């Protein structure tokens, strides 16, 4: 008999306890870390409590759900720059009670118009991919344009009132929370050498720790410009000119003219019906329809009978993900350059063909289908108001804090979303000037019988469509409530083929969170899945569900982040 040391014994007991569903909870909700938050007048769910409280203040002051969402996003740009900021992009889905329909907005920016593929490849030298940091992966930030377009259509308060709380916090300072402080320290270490970054994000020479007040007067000044002048306060004038000068000094190609020419795009959400519920995503250049493709495949299985966390469910989920992501690598790109066959990819007939490709063993390589014709961090938030407007909004710098490119005095870092272009000529996502890269950030929405049911999202690179599917399945197939569906242990598969050109040849890796038992893990390994223990890859979730019969909102914010759902 082998004796375990004290540390090993504690580790074993901890992992064993974590794998046992918490069936002794009073209500029997095995995985919920807390109850759903219930309210009738308004609701906000964000990844940081101060942002949630600002959103509620805006709602109480007569603001719309959109005003509240923008106000919260602005605060998050200060207190959670590890996930978002006005140097990044934005996507949103909005339920408008006046028109009784969903509206989608694609606020992603384009590549510099002065940089062509040949010049980019020359700048890269022998590198086969676009770098993570520095001037080359920088694309036009689309978030502020998104704020202004969404506010013009759905706002109720002046933009200056909406941004006032964030300006106040940026000037006076706000305390940094635990999870954000952890990622800030990691992200700052690899970016501190880039000019301007440490001046803004490392006061006193280091990243702010948990509980430390962080002030950002440069960001307050930029927010004031936007509050006074709208989109022109960011895309023209002082801010745009500062960005252009800085990028030229750093050997970059993004110009003030690129910013001035930027406009986001209103788009129609696309959806599939999953067991009576309509699940909605935005079309490419984002990856949202991967979630719809997965749901279409999974609808052919009796998941409720298979059971949450079962070997069979986790196997078919992983294989469905591989199939959808092979199509994601092949077809998803800026539709202005390479339109994807969206209707065919999410059709019932195509799902049947894809489903037939799933066997009992883990697939090592998966070719894209034939329809007729990743380390990112993000914030997701949702809001709802007393008139019935519901907002599902996601915003990101990519790779947490972004490119490291931090123009002086502006208080934000530019995104590195251009890293997600393919460098091989002739593919849908191949780099080109003025093109939007493949995008990972995706908001989601569910309707039932033509009425709003839930705004939700899951942050975290390629985890996002996988997370969306698990939320839907947890609620519809496994009977979980809004909170439990997010807290339940997740599966994440990595290593699929990518829109940047990489191809899966080894089946990738399966990551299972604590709460999936060891017998299931062993059974998956016997099927050929390669399991790897990993932390921090499981995303972060917020949701607001509407109980129409009672007129009650139910909010949820999961335990993996610092967030909060609250209402009044």
């Amino acid at each position: 008999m082998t004796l375990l040391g004290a540390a090993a014994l504690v580790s074993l007991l901890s992992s064993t306890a974590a794998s046992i569903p918490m069936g002794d909870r009073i209500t029997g909700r095995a995985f919920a870390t807390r109850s759903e938050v219930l309210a009738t007048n308004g609701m906000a769910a964000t990844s940081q409590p101060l942002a949630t409280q600002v959103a509620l203040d805006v709602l109480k002051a007569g603001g719309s759900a959109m005003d509240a969402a923008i106000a919260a996003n602005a605060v998050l740009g200060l207190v959670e720059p590890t996930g978002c900021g006005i140097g990044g992009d934005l996507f949103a889905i909005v339920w408008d009670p006046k028109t009784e329909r969903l509206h989608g907005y694609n606020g992603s920016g384009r590549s510099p118009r002065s940089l062509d593929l040949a010049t980019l490849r020359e700048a890269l030298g022998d590198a086969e991919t676009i770098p993570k940091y520095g001037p080359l992966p920088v694309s036009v930030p689309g978030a502020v344009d998104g704020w202004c377009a969404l506010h013009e259509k759905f706002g109720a308060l002046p933009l200056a009132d909406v941004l006032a709380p964030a300006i106040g916090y940026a000037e006076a300072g706000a305390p940094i929370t635990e999870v954000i402080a952890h990622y800030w320290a990691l992200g700052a270490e690899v970016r501190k050498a880039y000019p301007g970054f440490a001046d803004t994000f490392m006061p006193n020479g280091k990243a702010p720790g948990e509980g430390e007040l962080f002030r950002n007067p440069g960001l307050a000044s930029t927010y004031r410009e936007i509050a006074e002048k709208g989109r022109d306060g960011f895309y023209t004038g002082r801010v745009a000119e500062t960005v252009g000068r800085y990028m030229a000094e750093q050997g970059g190609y993004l110009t003030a003219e690129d910013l001035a020419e930027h406009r986001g795009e209103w788009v129609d959400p696309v959806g599939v019906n999953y067991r009576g519920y309509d699940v909605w995503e935005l079309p490419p250049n984002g990856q949202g329809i991967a979630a719809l493709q997965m749901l279409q495949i999974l609808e052919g299985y009796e998941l409720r009978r298979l059971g949450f966390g079962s070997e069979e469910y986790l196997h078919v989920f992983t294989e469905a993900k591989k199939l959808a992501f092979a199509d994601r690598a092949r077809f998803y790109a800026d539709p202005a350059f390479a339109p994807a066959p969206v209707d065919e990819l999410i059709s019932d007939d195509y799902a049947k063909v894809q489903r037939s490709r799933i066997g009992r063993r883990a697939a090592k390589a998966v070719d894209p289908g034939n329809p007729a014709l990743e380390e990112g961090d993000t914030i997701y938030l949702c809001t709802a108001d007393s008139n019935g407007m519901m907002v599902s909004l996601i915003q990101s710098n990519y790779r947490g804090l972004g490119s490291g490119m931090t123009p002086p005095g502006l208080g934000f870092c530019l995104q590195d979303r251009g890293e997600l272009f393919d460098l091989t000529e002739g593919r849908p996502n191949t780099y080109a000037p003025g093109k939007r890269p493949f995008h990972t950030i995706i908001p989601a929405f569910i309707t039932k019988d033509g009425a709003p049911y839930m705004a939700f999202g899951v942050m975290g690179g390629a985890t996002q469509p996988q997370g969306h599917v698990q939320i839907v399945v947890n609620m519809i197939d496994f009977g979980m409530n809004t909170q439990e569906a997010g807290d339940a242990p997740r599966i994440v598969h990595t290593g699929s083929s990518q829109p940047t050109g990489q191809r899966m040849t080894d089946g990738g890796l399966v990551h299972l969170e604590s709460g999936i038992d060891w017998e299931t893990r062993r059974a998956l390994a016997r099927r050929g899945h390669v399991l790897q223990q990993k932390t921090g890859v499981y995303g972060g979730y917020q949701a607001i569900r509407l109980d129409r019969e009672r007129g009650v909102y139910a909010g949820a914010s999961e335990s993996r982040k610092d967030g909060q759902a609250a209402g009044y």
Side-chain angles (χ1 to χ4, degrees):
M1 180 175 179
T2 302
L3 296 177
L4 295 174
L9 180 60
V10 169
S11 176
L12 175 62
L13 292 175
S14 298
S15 64
T16 302
S19 70
I20 299 172
M22 294 166 283
D24 58 352
R25 293 291 170 86
I26 293 173
T27 60
R29 294 285 177 185
F31 297 116
T33 57
R34 56 155 298 142
S35 306
E36 296 175 304
V37 177
L38 303 176
T40 56
N41 291 310
M43 183 74 70
T46 84
S47 51
Q48 214 276 1
L50 295 180
T52 297
Q53 293 303 312
V54 162
L56 288 185
D57 290 343
V58 168
L59 290 174
K60 292 175 182 179
S64 68
M66 181 53 67
D67 292 326
I70 295 169
N73 192 178
V75 172
L76 290 168
L78 170 73
V79 300
E80 194 174 357
T82 52
C84 70
I86 53 175
D89 286 343
L90 172 155
F91 292 79
I93 300 176
V94 184
W95 174 266
D96 178 14
K98 293 181 180 179
T99 58
E100 296 188 335
R101 61 178 288 254
L102 290 173
H103 300 261
Y105 194 80
N106 179 332
S108 59
R110 294 165 174 81
S111 57
R113 296 185 185 276
S114 62
L115 178 62
D116 58 27
L117 180 59
T119 304
L120 175 59
R121 293 192 67 92
E122 182 179 350
L124 292 173
D126 295 332
E128 297 181 358
T129 59
I130 298 172
K132 300 174 182 178
Y133 313 115
L136 291 180
V138 174
S139 54
V140 175
V144 172
D145 177 77
W147 284 358
C148 295
L150 290 162
H151 180 263
E152 182 179 0
K153 193 175 187 70
F154 298 115
L157 298 178
L159 188 59
D161 292 352
V162 172
L163 295 181
I167 293 170
Y169 271 126
E171 291 177 334
I176 302 305
T177 47
E178 178 184 1
V179 173
I180 294 169
H182 169 77
Y183 285 115
W184 200 322
L186 294 178
E189 196 59 31
V190 298
R191 295 170 175 86
K192 63 184 181 182
Y194 293 109
F197 181 87
D199 293 339
T200 297
F201 295 107
M202 302 178 72
N204 304 315
K206 62 182 181 63
E210 180 185 357
E212 186 174 340
L213 286 180
F214 173 68
R215 296 175 178 85
N216 192 337
L219 185 62
S221 177
T222 301
Y223 279 173
R224 287 190 187 281
E225 296 258 4
I226 299 166
E228 294 169 6
K229 303 173 185 176
R231 73 174 308 281
D232 287 345
F234 186 87
Y235 293 94
T236 64
R238 179 183 72 91
V239 174
E241 291 166 4
T242 301
V243 170
R245 280 196 305 271
Y246 172 84
M247 288 300 293
E249 292 167 358
Q250 304 308 316
Y253 293 86
L254 187 73
T255 66
E257 290 72 24
D258 288 322
L259 270 71
E261 293 176 6
H262 171 75
R263 291 295 187 281
E265 180 183 14
W266 292 100
V267 295
D268 291 327
V270 295
V272 300
N273 187 274
Y274 184 79
R275 308 195 200 282
Y277 294 79
D278 292 308
V279 182
W280 299 92
E281 302 275 357
L282 297 182
N285 55 314
Q287 62 175 339
I289 64 168
L292 304 183
Q293 289 190 249
M294 291 175 67
L295 287 171
Q296 286 286 73
I297 293 171
L298 292 174
E299 192 172 28
Y301 296 90
E302 295 180 28
L303 299 186
R304 182 171 300 183
R305 180 184 60 80
L306 297 180
F308 176 83
S310 68
E311 166 201 350
E312 187 67 23
Y313 163 57
L314 296 175
H315 171 70
V316 298
F317 175 90
T318 302
E319 297 306 293
K321 182 266 184 180
K322 292 176 185 177
L323 291 167
F325 272 50
D327 286 345
R328 168 182 174 264
R330 167 63 180 84
F331 297 108
Y332 298 13
D334 185 344
F337 287 75
V342 173
D343 291 343
E344 290 80 7
L345 287 169
I346 64 174
S347 69
D348 292 340
D349 289 343
Y350 185 62
K352 291 177 183 175
V353 173
Q354 292 290 77
R355 197 178 303 125
S356 69
R357 299 173 64 189
I358 297 177
R360 289 199 55 79
R361 298 282 299 171
K364 296 301 180 185
V366 176
D367 291 328
N370 187 26
L373 7 207
E374 190 42 43
E375 178 198 3
D377 210 347
T378 299
I379 62 95
Y380 171 80
L381 63 89
C382 44
T383 55
D385 63 29
S386 59
N387 295 318
M389 182 182 295
M390 298 178 70
V391 176
S392 178
L393 184 149
I394 196 159
Q395 207 259 300
S396 175
N397 302 320
Y398 192 56
R399 290 202 178 276
L401 283 157
S403 65
M405 297 286 96
T406 311
L410 300 184
F412 65 89
C413 185
L414 292 161
Q415 67 182 350
D416 45 4
R417 188 64 64 171
E419 182 194 344
L420 291 179
F421 279 116
D422 191 338
L423 290 174
T424 303
E425 292 191 60
R427 293 176 176 165
N429 190 44
T430 299
Y431 178 87
K435 183 176 182 178
R436 294 173 293 188
F438 164 78
H439 233 286
T440 56
I441 62 174
I442 52 174
F445 208 98
I446 302 174
T447 59
K448 183 80 163 64
D449 301 324
Y453 179 75
M454 190 165 85
F456 77 102
V458 178
M459 322 161 213
T463 297
Q464 293 177 63
Q466 301 179 69
H468 286 196
V469 171
Q470 288 173 78
I471 297 300
V472 172
V473 168
N474 285 350
M475 295 183 71
I476 297 174
D477 292 289
F478 300 136
M480 299 184 192
N481 70 18
T482 317
Q483 181 67 43
E484 188 182 18
D487 284 335
R490 292 199 187 120
I491 175 176
V492 170
H493 177 270
T494 60
S496 285
S497 298
Q498 298 295 322
T500 47
Q502 297 90 338
R503 293 293 176 263
M504 182 182 74
T505 58
D506 59 0
L509 298 170
V510 174
H511 312 284
L512 298 172
E513 213 169 11
S514 299
I516 306 298
D517 66 63
W518 288 102
E519 182 52 44
T520 297
R521 295 168 188 259
R522 286 189 287 269
L524 289 170
R526 286 194 292 268
R527 286 180 182 250
H529 295 284
V530 179
L531 276 60
Q532 182 187 73
Q533 199 70 23
K534 200 167 186 180
T535 58
V537 300
Y538 301 101
Y541 155 83
Q542 265 80 233
I544 298 174
R545 177 177 56 82
L546 172 62
D547 183 334
R548 283 192 295 143
E549 291 186 7
R550 297 180 174 90
V552 173
Y553 290 119
S557 181
E558 61 155 89
S559 58
R560 298 172 187 85
K561 298 284 185 177
D562 296 323
Q564 179 195 34
Y568 75 105

